Short mmCIF file of all heavy atoms in Angstrom, two decimals:
data_model
loop_
_atom_site.label_atom_id
_atom_site.label_comp_id
_atom_site.label_asym_id
_atom_site.label_seq_id
_atom_site.Cartn_x
_atom_site.Cartn_y
_atom_site.Cartn_z
N MET I 1 82.06 65.44 76.54
CA MET I 1 82.83 66.59 76.05
C MET I 1 82.44 67.91 76.76
O MET I 1 83.36 68.62 77.22
CB MET I 1 82.82 66.66 74.55
CG MET I 1 83.51 67.93 73.97
SD MET I 1 85.21 67.56 73.89
CE MET I 1 85.34 66.71 72.31
N ALA I 4 84.00 68.28 80.07
CA ALA I 4 85.52 68.32 80.03
C ALA I 4 85.86 69.80 79.73
O ALA I 4 86.77 70.35 80.29
CB ALA I 4 86.06 67.44 78.97
N THR I 8 87.97 72.80 81.97
CA THR I 8 89.12 73.66 81.58
C THR I 8 88.78 75.14 81.67
O THR I 8 89.55 75.91 82.11
CB THR I 8 89.51 73.30 80.08
OG1 THR I 8 89.52 71.93 80.07
CG2 THR I 8 90.87 73.92 79.76
N GLN I 9 87.58 75.45 81.33
CA GLN I 9 87.14 76.78 81.35
C GLN I 9 87.07 77.37 82.70
O GLN I 9 87.10 78.53 82.91
CB GLN I 9 85.74 76.95 80.51
CG GLN I 9 85.84 76.69 79.07
CD GLN I 9 86.75 77.74 78.34
OE1 GLN I 9 86.83 78.84 78.69
NE2 GLN I 9 87.41 77.21 77.36
N LYS I 45 116.87 86.18 74.26
CA LYS I 45 116.04 86.67 73.19
C LYS I 45 115.08 85.53 72.72
O LYS I 45 113.92 85.70 72.48
CB LYS I 45 116.90 87.22 72.07
CG LYS I 45 116.04 88.09 71.13
CD LYS I 45 117.03 88.87 70.27
CE LYS I 45 116.25 89.77 69.26
NZ LYS I 45 117.09 90.52 68.37
N CYS I 49 110.86 85.05 73.05
CA CYS I 49 109.85 84.75 71.95
C CYS I 49 108.93 83.64 72.29
O CYS I 49 107.73 83.73 71.97
CB CYS I 49 110.60 84.36 70.68
SG CYS I 49 111.63 85.72 70.06
N TYR I 50 109.35 82.70 73.02
CA TYR I 50 108.46 81.61 73.45
C TYR I 50 107.44 82.20 74.56
O TYR I 50 106.34 81.83 74.61
CB TYR I 50 109.18 80.46 74.04
CG TYR I 50 110.03 79.72 72.92
CD1 TYR I 50 111.36 79.72 73.02
CD2 TYR I 50 109.50 79.21 71.81
CE1 TYR I 50 112.16 79.08 72.04
CE2 TYR I 50 110.20 78.67 70.82
CZ TYR I 50 111.57 78.55 71.00
OH TYR I 50 112.30 78.02 69.93
N VAL I 53 104.58 83.86 72.94
CA VAL I 53 103.59 82.94 72.55
C VAL I 53 102.62 82.55 73.65
O VAL I 53 101.42 82.54 73.49
CB VAL I 53 104.23 81.66 71.87
CG1 VAL I 53 103.16 80.61 71.62
CG2 VAL I 53 104.88 82.03 70.60
N GLY I 57 98.63 83.08 74.24
CA GLY I 57 97.68 81.94 74.48
C GLY I 57 96.99 81.97 75.86
O GLY I 57 95.92 81.49 76.04
N ASP I 60 96.43 86.88 77.57
CA ASP I 60 95.44 87.59 76.96
C ASP I 60 94.01 87.27 77.55
O ASP I 60 93.23 88.13 77.88
CB ASP I 60 95.38 87.33 75.40
CG ASP I 60 96.34 88.11 74.64
OD1 ASP I 60 97.01 89.12 75.38
OD2 ASP I 60 96.43 87.96 73.55
N GLU I 63 93.77 88.47 81.14
CA GLU I 63 93.57 89.91 81.29
C GLU I 63 92.08 90.25 81.04
O GLU I 63 91.54 91.25 81.48
CB GLU I 63 94.37 90.72 80.23
CG GLU I 63 95.86 90.82 80.82
CD GLU I 63 96.68 91.29 79.62
OE1 GLU I 63 96.25 91.80 78.61
OE2 GLU I 63 97.99 91.16 79.76
N LEU I 64 91.39 89.41 80.29
CA LEU I 64 89.91 89.61 80.09
C LEU I 64 89.04 89.20 81.33
O LEU I 64 87.92 89.18 81.30
CB LEU I 64 89.41 88.91 78.78
CG LEU I 64 89.77 89.48 77.54
CD1 LEU I 64 89.21 88.72 76.45
CD2 LEU I 64 89.21 90.92 77.41
N ILE P 2 86.56 62.80 76.90
CA ILE P 2 87.81 63.16 76.26
C ILE P 2 88.56 64.11 77.20
O ILE P 2 88.00 65.02 77.75
CB ILE P 2 87.55 63.86 74.95
CG1 ILE P 2 86.94 62.88 73.92
CG2 ILE P 2 88.81 64.48 74.37
CD1 ILE P 2 86.52 63.39 72.61
N PRO P 4 90.43 67.15 77.70
CA PRO P 4 90.57 68.34 76.87
C PRO P 4 92.00 68.81 76.70
O PRO P 4 92.47 69.34 75.79
CB PRO P 4 89.75 69.43 77.58
CG PRO P 4 89.65 68.93 79.03
CD PRO P 4 89.72 67.47 78.88
N ASN P 10 95.33 74.07 72.81
CA ASN P 10 95.15 75.04 73.85
C ASN P 10 93.71 75.10 74.16
O ASN P 10 93.02 75.95 73.49
CB ASN P 10 95.72 76.47 73.48
CG ASN P 10 95.54 77.51 74.48
OD1 ASN P 10 94.78 77.27 75.46
ND2 ASN P 10 96.20 78.71 74.38
N PRO P 11 93.17 74.28 75.06
CA PRO P 11 91.75 74.20 75.29
C PRO P 11 91.18 75.54 75.73
O PRO P 11 89.96 75.78 75.52
CB PRO P 11 91.58 73.07 76.43
CG PRO P 11 92.96 73.05 76.98
CD PRO P 11 94.00 73.39 75.89
N THR P 15 88.21 76.46 73.12
CA THR P 15 86.72 76.33 73.52
C THR P 15 86.27 77.59 74.22
O THR P 15 85.17 77.54 74.83
CB THR P 15 86.67 75.13 74.48
OG1 THR P 15 87.42 75.47 75.71
CG2 THR P 15 87.15 73.85 73.97
N ILE P 24 89.32 89.37 72.44
CA ILE P 24 90.82 89.35 72.30
C ILE P 24 91.29 89.86 71.01
O ILE P 24 92.25 90.60 70.84
CB ILE P 24 91.28 87.90 72.48
CG1 ILE P 24 90.95 87.37 73.84
CG2 ILE P 24 92.79 87.80 72.23
CD1 ILE P 24 91.25 85.89 74.14
N LYS P 27 91.15 93.65 70.88
CA LYS P 27 92.14 94.28 71.74
C LYS P 27 93.51 94.16 71.07
O LYS P 27 94.21 95.14 70.96
CB LYS P 27 92.18 93.51 73.11
CG LYS P 27 93.09 94.20 74.10
CD LYS P 27 93.27 93.43 75.33
CE LYS P 27 94.29 92.28 75.07
NZ LYS P 27 94.76 91.61 76.26
N ASN P 28 93.77 93.06 70.42
CA ASN P 28 95.09 92.86 69.74
C ASN P 28 95.16 93.60 68.48
O ASN P 28 96.23 94.04 67.98
CB ASN P 28 95.41 91.39 69.58
CG ASN P 28 95.87 90.72 70.86
OD1 ASN P 28 96.49 91.33 71.71
ND2 ASN P 28 95.44 89.51 71.08
N ASP P 94 116.97 92.40 62.94
CA ASP P 94 116.14 91.52 63.76
C ASP P 94 115.49 90.57 62.83
O ASP P 94 114.79 89.61 63.35
CB ASP P 94 115.13 92.26 64.63
CG ASP P 94 115.80 92.97 65.76
OD1 ASP P 94 116.82 92.45 66.22
OD2 ASP P 94 115.32 94.04 66.12
N GLU P 116 110.75 86.33 66.78
CA GLU P 116 109.45 86.41 67.52
C GLU P 116 108.29 86.15 66.62
O GLU P 116 107.39 85.34 66.93
CB GLU P 116 109.32 87.82 68.13
CG GLU P 116 108.13 87.97 68.99
CD GLU P 116 107.84 89.43 69.43
OE1 GLU P 116 108.41 89.79 70.44
OE2 GLU P 116 107.08 90.15 68.68
N GLN P 119 108.10 82.49 65.57
CA GLN P 119 107.68 81.59 66.68
C GLN P 119 106.06 81.72 66.74
O GLN P 119 105.42 80.73 67.09
CB GLN P 119 108.26 81.87 68.00
CG GLN P 119 109.71 81.46 68.10
CD GLN P 119 109.98 80.08 67.55
OE1 GLN P 119 109.25 79.15 67.84
NE2 GLN P 119 111.09 79.95 66.81
N GLU P 123 103.54 78.53 66.33
CA GLU P 123 102.53 78.18 67.29
C GLU P 123 101.25 77.96 66.55
O GLU P 123 100.53 76.99 66.94
CB GLU P 123 102.42 79.37 68.26
CG GLU P 123 101.39 79.12 69.34
CD GLU P 123 101.76 78.09 70.39
OE1 GLU P 123 102.87 77.65 70.32
OE2 GLU P 123 100.86 77.76 71.20
#
Side-chain angles (χ1 to χ4, degrees):
Chain I
M1 177 79 83
T8 314
Q9 293 298 325
K45 197 169 180 178
C49 296
Y50 296 117
V53 171
D60 276 355
E63 282 169 15
L64 282 180
Chain P
I2 293 172
N10 182 345
T15 63
I24 295 175
K27 190 186 81 166
N28 283 326
D94 288 327
E116 181 189 276
Q119 291 311 318
E123 180 69 7

